Amino acid sequence: MYSYVFRRVFSALPTLFVVITISFFLMRVAPGGPFNLERPLEAKVMENLMRIYNLDKPLWEQYAIYLYNLFQGDLGPSYFFRDFSVAELIAQGLPISVQLGGLALLLALTIGCGLGVIGAIKQNQPADFGVIALATIGITIPNFVVAPVLTLFLAVHFDILPAGGWGDGALANKVLPVLTLALPQVAVIARLTRGSMIEALHSHHIRTARAYGLPGRVVVVRHALRSALLPVVSYMGPAAAALLTGSVVVETIFGIPGIGRYFVQGALNRDYTLVMGTVIVIAVFVVLFNLIVDLLYSLLDPRVRYD
Amino acid sequence: MSGPLLQVSNLVVDFDTQDGVVNAVRGIDLCVAKGETVGVVGESGSGKSQIMLAIMGLLDRNGRASGAVRFDGQEILGLPNRRLNTIRGNRSAMIFQEPMTSLDPCYTIGDQVAEPIRFHRGASAAQARARVLDLLAQVGIPDPEEKIESYPHELSGGQRQRVMIAMALANEPDLLIADEPTTALDVTIQAQILELLAELQARYGMAIVFITHDLAVVRHISDRVYVMEAGVVVEEGATKTIFANPTHDYTKMLLAAEPSGVKHPPEPDAQTVIEAAHVDVIFSSRTGLLGFSKTRNVHAVKDISLRLRQGQTLGVVGESGSGKSTLGRALLQLLPSAGEVRYEGRALHGLPERDLRPLRREMQIVFQDPFGSLSPRMTVGEIVTEGLLVHEPRLSRSDRERRADEALLEVALDPSMKRRYPHEFSGGQRQRIAIARAIVLKPRFILLDEPTSALDRSVQVQIVDLLRDLQQTHGLSYLFISHDLSVVRAMADEVMVMKDGALIEQGPTEAIFQAPKTDYTKALIAAAFDLKTAA
């Protein structure tokens, strides 16, 4: 098991390398640069800036310098937020995004699985139709609609929650963004759980459990839900990585200083190093959560073994 | 009081389906006394399993049961689950056909056998564990201390069924319902399981309801028999009476439904179609990643040589895992293998797929599972003509249709069924479609891989007759793979017995069956045929 984890982490390095390489060159293919502003800089200033940031060197040399620095743990300076290094920006923003994403994830898993199980047990009954309707709504309404509507009611109309801002991480400030992040995930998880639960409840070993007079709760939770969770778990890998690395829309609407915004802002500003930094963070999260998913798989289903 | 243990009166089971209400069970009466063994026999679809599921409140959601079911004097039909659960797994227990899927793959067998003990008896974990160890030993699981931590997939089919039996015995039930418990097992294992059940019944004195399509099994173990056809009990009585003197036509038909007759031997000077020398198949599985790999080899077929002449049938028998299907696939070059295979004198080994393709037309396969081996998204006409599109591309559309009609007629299907899809047909009809798909190409050799194993006995008889007729008409050569010795006896000129990939014994069919030389063959034959003569 440990050797498996070690091998997986080890084999993730080439993947990261490929991601970094492709993003590096793709960024440079985009026209313009970090210092092409609306009002052009003086030629001399531009020249100095380009030299300081090594942007006057051939592309492959810039690439080599970036890799060399990266190897030393240096993500470089931000070209746009000039008082900060990329590492500092990520260190400030990532914990906030992870907090919001983590809470949304927990909420989505609890409510989503719960609704899915209810839907499956009450298949084709009113409760089930309710779950399906809710899931469809959650998937179809985009978060940039959900967020303003929630704000309008809970913050403006009833005035029980702040409309935006981080408020140094006060609980009240987290409620609306977490709800907005969680809603579509609740919907997807409820649908997935319902589908695989229905299948699991029809399996032969569930018939055995019922034939042996086990209480309904044991049959559903111990025997059916465990195998029904497998598709949910495999969905949660990439979904968790996406949630924890922040959402542009939610962070922008609620004015939250997470790292989700950096990715889009960085790309628009041609802030090469900031984009590379967020790409690396996202890639590491994706790799990490896929590994966690595979380990959870073998934990849930003993037929899956990695030796 | 000494009333019957189980008294079923006028039980009706209906299912609501998209095509309307299906009456699976149409008013049956059945009674089981304490300690007796009752057989319920019928072909697939006769409703025999649904009776037991209805009694135990295990019908699918769209099923409804009505009538009366008294268990030890108490009415149990339609009881809420909470009340039923005081009986299920406690005073009654069930074992099922599919020992693999009937156990939860996610928990150790120890946990699963312990569950009914803990829930019904309130036993502590330690007490339950001690009881489980005792039960596993009673049902003949070797090293219970070690096996108690195993997961179902780590056990063989026979062991899994023993685990199910241990679970059934956990609370010493008064009634054990066994639904085709030996159907998925090899004959030798079947004999062991039946023996175990009889022994445990003698020890615990429980009543057993044994549901099966296999008359030999029923005759072997039951005191009384109910014969079911299309949801109705057509005949019932003491086993001896029914088998000696069946009164209903359906019972007579079932009893007569043993593959019989023998195959006409091929011409003495018939030419050799397929010849194989020293065929070896090794499966290697690589584990690990990035060069940290270990290779594990499984020697599936060991040094097998054979010769098959025109019009001849060579039977290959053996238990599951003996390598018989692998051998068949290796002969057709569907698997990499070592050794030499010649088709009409031409060496097949090393031929590129392009050169093999014209020969594939002459070498066809019919598989065991008539459900899985036909594409559910193609019509019967498309399935039968698909091979012609590849092998005779210049055939006009009308000629193709004509050839398909001929093939369907040969397998006794109505060509007007061509526009329908496989799911609309019964298992036997589907197997006929699969045979039509093979013979439409006018092959010379057909690999028959357990073609009758998934079918009811009475349908098996028809398929065996059909295959023999087709062979006679077209001079076909068959390699007939089966674990079912009575079918092989009716089909084959010669028999090869395989075990663990190696050839154990080979010879003319009757010689093998009359005078088997090796202990293994003797055991196989005893397990298959002694059931029938023992009763």
Side-chain angles (χ1 to χ4, degrees), chain B residues 382-436:
Chain B
E382 286 166 345
I383 289 169
V384 175
T385 53
E386 192 181 25
L388 289 174
L389 285 174
V390 176
H391 292 292
E392 296 183 44
R394 258 167 271 166
L395 221 53
S396 74
R397 191 188 176 85
S398 58
D399 281 344
R400 266 204 314 273
E401 295 297 318
R402 189 180 43 75
R403 288 274 291 277
D405 291 357
E406 284 169 13
L408 287 170
L409 279 172
E410 276 202 276
V411 299
L413 287 177
D414 182 353
S416 69
M417 292 170 168
K418 269 193 305 186
R419 262 165 262 299
R420 290 163 60 181
Y421 287 88
H423 71 265
E424 300 173 62
F425 294 89
S426 69
Q429 286 174 317
R430 276 184 242 209
Q431 207 55 300
R432 286 172 193 272
I433 296 168
I435 295 170

Side-chain angles (χ1 to χ4, degrees), chain A residues 4 6-8 10-11 120-123 125 201-218 221-224 226-227 300-305 307, chain B residues 53 57-61 81 85 88-90 92-98 100-107 111-112 115-116 119-120 151 153 164 167-168 287-290 292:
Chain A
Y4 172 77
F6 173 76
R7 286 202 311 266
R8 278 288 297 269
F10 185 72
S11 68
I121 295 175
K122 307 275 180 202
Q123 195 190 349
Q125 292 171 31
L201 285 172
H202 279 111
S203 59
H204 287 141
H205 66 262
I206 294 301
R207 184 184 61 190
T208 306
R210 293 172 59 210
Y212 281 83
L214 304 185
R217 150 185 60 82
V218 175
V221 178
R222 221 173 113 78
H223 290 287
R226 179 155 171 179
S227 46
L300 284 174
D301 187 342
R303 285 167 299 179
V304 182
R305 282 269 173 260
D307 301 308
Chain B
L53 294 176
L58 297 171
L59 286 178
D60 275 346
R61 208 186 292 261
N81 277 330
N85 282 350
R88 297 194 293 205
N90 188 21
S92 77
M94 293 181 89
I95 54 180
F96 301 98
Q97 175 172 352
E98 311 82 2
M100 177 73 235
T101 53
S102 295
L103 290 166
D104 190 331
C106 299
Y107 295 93
D111 281 348
Q112 293 186 64
E115 271 188 323
F119 283 108
H120 294 295
Y151 289 95
H153 69 275
M164 279 301 296
M167 193 163 155
T287 52
L289 191 82
L290 284 180
F292 297 92

Side-chain angles (χ1 to χ4, degrees), chain A residues 1-302:
Chain A
M1 186 67 146
Y2 290 114
S3 77
Y4 172 77
V5 172
F6 173 76
R7 286 202 311 266
R8 278 288 297 269
V9 171
F10 185 72
S11 68
L13 294 178
T15 313
L16 285 179
F17 176 75
V18 171
V19 168
I20 290 167
T21 307
I22 292 177
S23 328
F24 185 89
F25 289 103
L26 268 184
M27 259 325 273
R28 304 308 172 101
V29 171
F35 308 112
N36 296 92
L37 308 177
E38 273 177 50
R39 200 160 56 91
L41 294 169
E42 277 178 47
K44 186 68 188 160
V45 176
M46 188 72 170
E47 201 178 294
N48 282 338
L49 278 172
M50 295 300 266
R51 198 179 60 247
I52 290 168
Y53 289 115
N54 289 324
L55 292 171
D56 54 345
K57 299 213 167 66
L59 201 53
W60 65 266
E61 209 179 319
Q62 294 181 36
Y63 174 64
I65 292 170
Y66 184 77
L67 280 189
Y68 178 78
N69 288 337
L70 184 66
F71 204 67
Q72 321 230 319
D74 180 6
L75 291 167
S78 166
Y79 297 151
F80 185 78
F81 303 101
R82 262 167 247 167
D83 294 335
F84 298 92
S85 73
V86 170
E88 283 167 346
L89 288 172
I90 290 176
Q92 281 171 15
L94 188 60
I96 295 174
S97 293
V98 167
Q99 265 189 58
L100 286 184
L103 287 171
L105 205 64
L106 275 181
L107 192 70
L109 267 178
T110 334
I111 300 181
C113 288
L115 287 178
V117 169
I118 292 170
I121 295 175
K122 307 275 180 202
Q123 195 190 349
N124 296 338
Q125 292 171 31
D128 182 31
F129 296 139
V131 170
I132 295 174
L134 204 73
T136 313
I137 292 170
I139 290 170
T140 45
I141 300 185
N143 51 7
F144 57 81
V145 175
V146 173
V149 170
L150 282 178
T151 314
L152 192 65
F153 279 96
L154 296 176
V156 180
H157 191 72
F158 293 109
D159 195 22
I160 45 177
L161 290 169
W166 179 235
D168 279 332
L171 185 63
N173 289 67
K174 290 179 192 163
V175 175
L176 289 180
V178 166
L179 280 180
T180 313
L181 281 173
L183 187 68
Q185 304 300 335
V186 168
V188 177
I189 294 170
R191 283 179 63 110
L192 276 174
T193 311
R194 176 183 176 272
S196 56
M197 235 356 232
I198 287 174
E199 206 183 308
L201 285 172
H202 279 111
S203 59
H204 287 141
H205 66 262
I206 294 301
R207 184 184 61 190
T208 306
R210 293 172 59 210
Y212 281 83
L214 304 185
R217 150 185 60 82
V218 175
V219 175
V220 169
V221 178
R222 221 173 113 78
H223 290 287
L225 186 60
R226 179 155 171 179
S227 46
L229 276 181
L230 289 177
V232 178
V233 166
S234 52
Y235 166 77
M236 285 316 290
L243 274 179
L244 296 177
T245 51
S247 146
V248 188
V249 177
V250 171
E251 289 181 6
T252 308
I253 291 179
F254 291 106
I256 287 163
I259 67 160
R261 297 173 306 165
Y262 292 155
F263 191 52
V264 174
Q265 284 178 2
L268 293 175
N269 296 330
R270 302 288 185 270
D271 193 345
Y272 297 147
T273 42
L274 185 56
V275 171
M276 291 301 297
T278 38
V279 164
I280 291 170
V281 169
I282 292 171
V284 167
F285 269 77
V286 168
V287 167
L288 187 71
F289 276 90
N290 277 323
L291 174 62
I292 293 177
V293 163
D294 287 347
L295 294 179
L296 274 179
Y297 244 80
S298 72
L299 209 67
L300 284 174
D301 187 342

